[in-house]
Amino acid sequence: ARPRLQRLARLPGITVFADGPGVEGTWPLLLALLPTPQQRDAALAELWGAGLGVARMFALALPDYAYLRPWVAPADCPRARDFAARSLTLSNSLWLDEERFTAIVAILARHLA
């Protein structure tokens, strides 16, 4: 995952979540935060049905899911809402070859330009 995380991190304005100092995790999914919800939505519109393993892990903040109301109290959580609005998950599957990953990076780069 490390080379892929580094490639993503070179894109302008993107935040990529990776291992902290002295930590080495496993990365079946890569998590990225785009600068704006509009950029995330535009990239996702192009990538969603492309069979490349790009999706949204977090559609809403926890208090915004109606079915969770018995357990999660209503709360003002602007950071969680912002995170849900700007985040993308990318597969790091063995089936996602470098050619397809390069296509994802190119699409993200176009929407970040």
Side-chain angles (χ1 to χ4, degrees):
R2 196 169 290 127
R4 288 182 172 184
L5 291 167
Q6 291 169 350
R7 283 180 69 191
L8 290 170
R10 287 193 293 268
L11 294 172
I14 199 168
T15 301
V16 179
F17 294 85
D19 294 325
V23 177
E24 188 172 323
T26 58
W27 292 93
L29 297 171
L30 309 177
L31 182 60
L33 195 63
L34 277 65
T36 69
Q38 295 80 12
Q39 288 169 305
R40 193 284 315 269
D41 289 348
L44 188 59
E46 190 169 347
L47 291 164
W48 180 261
L52 298 172
V54 178
R56 291 174 65 179
M57 185 179 295
F58 306 102
L60 302 169
L62 286 178
D64 298 338
Y65 287 97
Y67 76 93
L68 292 177
R69 291 207 179 109
W71 303 281
V72 179
D76 185 28
C77 45
R79 288 183 180 186
R81 288 184 179 107
D82 176 66
F83 185 83
R86 296 189 299 127
S87 63
L88 275 181
T89 54
L90 296 83
S91 172
N92 191 36
S93 167
L94 294 174
W95 291 279
L96 182 65
D97 60 27
E98 285 308 306
E99 181 181 339
R100 288 181 178 92
F101 187 75
T102 297
I104 292 169
V105 171
I107 290 166
L108 290 174
R110 191 169 62 251
H111 290 286
L112 292 166

